[in-house]
Amino acid sequence: MANPDFQSGEILLDITRSEYQNEFSRTSVIDSKVGITLPVIATYFFLVLQFDSIKSIFASKPDTRNAVTALISVCSPLVYIAAIIFAGTALVYLFRAIMSQSYMSVEPCFFNDKEKMSKPREVFSAVMVTYYIRALEYNREKNNARIVLYKRGWLFTMVSLGLFVCYIFLTR
């Protein structure tokens, strides 16, 4: 006879298991995005870093012919350094996003014993839901944190790119 307390346990287990799988798929998508983005941003960082000599930029004397040229000659090295710092910060965020994370999984071997297997189907399903929900919430939290790092990496990259474009306009 079916347990009336857990009649929808199997349906909820299917839904929860599906969401659990979706979170693992989301992990793969995040890994792919960061895996593609990281080398591009690293290349950009090293190109910006090699674009001009930092030593020569700060060794040159400010052009004091008028106020505008003086302001440009003082601001342009600072803008260049800021572009490098923002690009480096973007790399740090992306490295943190790609670093190995520990995810929680539901191990079937844990439930493979006589006592647990002798439970009615509805009761066993209801118990399994709890384990899947715990793992799902933990994994979702990890992935949400990785997405924040990924977005911050892109934000810092875009700010760096904007600063670098400003530097080029100021100096060329």
Side-chain angles (χ1 to χ4, degrees):
M1 181 173 166
N3 189 332
D5 293 336
F6 302 113
Q7 288 182 10
S8 60
E10 290 181 60
I11 295 169
L12 185 56
L13 177 60
D14 288 340
I15 293 168
T16 306
R17 197 172 21 204
S18 175
E19 284 300 312
Y20 173 82
Q21 283 305 119
N22 286 343
E23 206 57 44
F24 273 107
S25 297
R26 186 173 171 223
T27 300
S28 297
V29 169
I30 295 168
D31 287 343
S32 296
K33 284 183 172 185
V34 176
I36 292 168
T37 304
L38 191 58
V40 172
I41 305 305
T43 302
Y44 162 75
F45 172 74
F46 288 111
L47 287 174
V48 170
L49 194 59
Q50 295 176 356
F51 187 76
D52 264 337
S53 167
I54 295 173
K55 184 178 178 181
S56 67
I57 290 173
F58 284 103
S60 63
K61 294 185 179 184
D63 185 356
T64 57
R65 286 180 283 168
N66 62 41
V68 173
T69 57
L71 184 63
I72 290 172
S73 65
V74 169
C75 287
S76 61
L78 298 176
V79 170
Y80 181 65
I81 293 300
I84 292 171
I85 290 171
F86 275 90
T89 304
L91 281 177
V92 169
Y93 279 119
L94 291 170
F95 277 125
R96 287 181 55 206
I98 197 86
M99 287 175 56
S100 295
Q101 302 285 324
S102 60
Y103 287 93
M104 191 179 286
S105 61
V106 177
E107 299 294 330
C109 63
F110 177 72
F111 302 98
N112 190 19
D113 70 27
K114 187 176 181 177
E115 182 184 328
K116 291 176 182 131
M117 297 291 282
S118 64
K119 301 282 185 200
R121 189 177 178 131
E122 297 84 9
V123 174
F124 187 77
S125 295
V127 170
M128 289 300 295
V129 165
T130 303
Y131 288 98
Y132 274 106
I133 287 175
R134 284 183 192 151
L136 171 65
E137 288 172 347
Y138 181 84
N139 295 345
R140 184 171 286 152
E141 184 180 311
K142 290 282 186 176
N143 283 337
N144 288 345
R146 291 179 69 208
I147 287 293
V148 167
L149 293 171
Y150 175 75
K151 286 181 178 180
R152 284 182 186 163
W154 266 112
L155 176 67
F156 276 83
T157 299
M158 291 300 111
V159 171
S160 172
L161 185 60
L163 290 169
F164 185 61
V165 168
C166 287
Y167 173 74
I168 290 173
F169 280 125
L170 290 173
T171 59
R172 304 291 184 238

